[in-house]
Amino acid sequence: QTQDLRMQNRELAALNSVSYAISDPLDLDTMLDRATVAAVQAVEADGGVVVLLDPTSAQLLITAARGFSESYLSSAETVSLGQGIIGQVAQNGQPRVTGDLGDDPWLSRLRDEGFNAFLCVPLRAGESEGGKHPIVGTLTVVTQAGREFDAHEIDLLTTIGNQIGVAVARAQYAVDLRETNVQLEEANVELRQLDTLREQFIQNVAHELRTPLALVRGYVEMLARGELDPEEQKVALEVTSRRVQVLVDLVRVVDDPSEVTGRYVGISW
């Protein structure tokens, strides 16, 4: 019982450590770096790595690591979904543990780093509409000693993987939300610009209407009062006809806004 109590206390301490690592409002890389350290310490491993799934390319990319050399990390290849042990865990969501790294294309090189055993668990996010937990990546821990991870360690790391998965989904949602807000703000700026152009357009049209309307009205009133002789009446009708054509052109512009490209609306008299 004493041994079980110690194990439970160690597991609770590990979960609290991971919870603290992912609860701070940090950027995703920093949060995963701290969570990886906590996961490695939780199962007394010698190294750990988090890879996240890029849903667009279906590639798993190293995002955080501890206990690996820089040369290993810089030369590590990406893993496709379903490829090798890590790719399979990301695809089917089943933890994998072994004391033999075998011929896995990604893990076999760990022997050069001095590691001999590994445990890989999925990073599960919150439930989707179908009731399933989407997998956003994997968490792998490795040891130099050729020991098997026991059932308690597998369950503990699986729980930690779920914690990290939810945190990753939350962080990615925050990034998506910020990008959406930026897009909305850009759209609002464009709408304000369009509204300004609309107001300018209305002002320009109103300005262009005043002159021909004033001339047409003036000549019509003089004709109605009989103030013009035949020659003057002829001139008045010609001028009125030209001004009416100006009004027709303005109506055409208003009726077909595609002819307006933000420039000043002007009509030749």
Side-chain angles (χ1 to χ4, degrees):
Q1 292 182 350
T2 301
Q3 184 67 23
D4 291 342
L5 184 60
R6 288 178 179 175
M7 182 176 297
Q8 290 177 2
N9 288 337
R10 182 168 69 88
E11 291 177 356
L12 288 175
L15 293 175
N16 287 334
S17 178
V18 173
S19 296
Y20 174 77
I22 63 179
S23 62
D24 284 346
L26 303 169
D27 62 273
L28 182 59
D29 290 341
T30 302
M31 183 268 288
L32 288 178
D33 188 63
R34 291 187 179 184
T36 302
V37 172
V40 169
Q41 294 173 346
V43 294
E44 299 179 346
D46 299 306
V49 60
V50 169
V51 296
L52 295 184
L53 176 64
D54 180 355
T56 302
S57 63
Q59 297 288 311
L60 292 159
L61 311 173
I62 295 178
T63 309
R66 270 294 181 271
F68 298 90
S69 67
E70 288 296 329
S71 60
Y72 175 82
L73 294 176
S74 61
S75 61
E77 299 178 357
T78 58
V79 178
S80 299
L81 189 64
Q83 177 188 12
I85 294 176
I86 289 180
Q88 292 170 12
V89 171
Q91 187 174 57
N92 59 39
Q94 298 299 317
R96 291 286 296 274
V97 58
T98 182
D100 182 9
L101 297 178
D103 297 325
D104 185 281
W106 200 83
L107 294 175
S108 59
R109 292 183 56 243
L110 290 175
R111 288 176 177 171
D112 298 334
E113 296 286 297
F115 300 117
N116 294 290
F118 83 97
L119 168 59
C120 181
V121 298
L123 303 180
R124 294 183 181 275
E127 289 189 7
S128 63
E129 294 181 358
K132 296 182 179 180
H133 296 271
I135 297 174
V136 296
T138 65
L139 166 65
T140 301
V141 294
V142 291
T143 63
Q144 294 178 347
R147 70 175 177 89
E148 291 283 351
F149 291 93
D150 60 33
H152 288 290
E153 291 173 319
I154 296 173
D155 290 341
L156 175 59
L157 204 69
T158 298
T159 301
I160 290 174
N162 292 339
Q163 286 182 299
I164 296 175
V166 171
V168 168
R170 185 176 63 230
Q172 291 176 336
Y173 174 77
V175 171
D176 293 341
L177 185 60
R178 285 194 295 270
E179 292 177 351
T180 299
N181 287 337
V182 170
Q183 293 173 357
L184 288 175
E185 180 57 31
E186 292 175 349
N188 285 333
V189 170
E190 184 176 353
L191 287 174
R192 287 194 291 269
Q193 292 174 342
L194 290 174
D195 191 56
T196 300
L197 288 175
R198 180 186 64 82
E199 292 178 357
Q200 292 175 348
F201 175 75
I202 293 174
Q203 292 173 1
N204 291 342
V205 170
H207 173 77
E208 297 294 340
L209 284 171
R210 289 192 187 98
T211 300
L213 281 175
L215 290 171
V216 169
R217 179 180 178 180
Y219 279 121
V220 168
E221 289 177 349
M222 285 189 293
L223 287 169
R225 291 194 297 266
E227 298 177 356
L228 303 177
D229 59 35
E231 186 62 29
E232 290 174 332
Q233 290 179 11
K234 180 179 179 182
V235 173
L237 290 173
E238 291 176 351
V239 173
T240 301
S241 176
R242 290 199 301 271
R243 297 307 183 267
V244 169
Q245 184 58 49
V246 169
L247 295 176
V248 171
D249 292 339
L250 279 173
V251 171
R252 173 178 52 79
V253 171
V254 174
D255 189 53
D256 186 6
S258 64
E259 296 191 13
V260 182
T261 58
R263 66 183 185 277
Y264 181 84
V265 178
I267 302 296
S268 299
W269 304 124

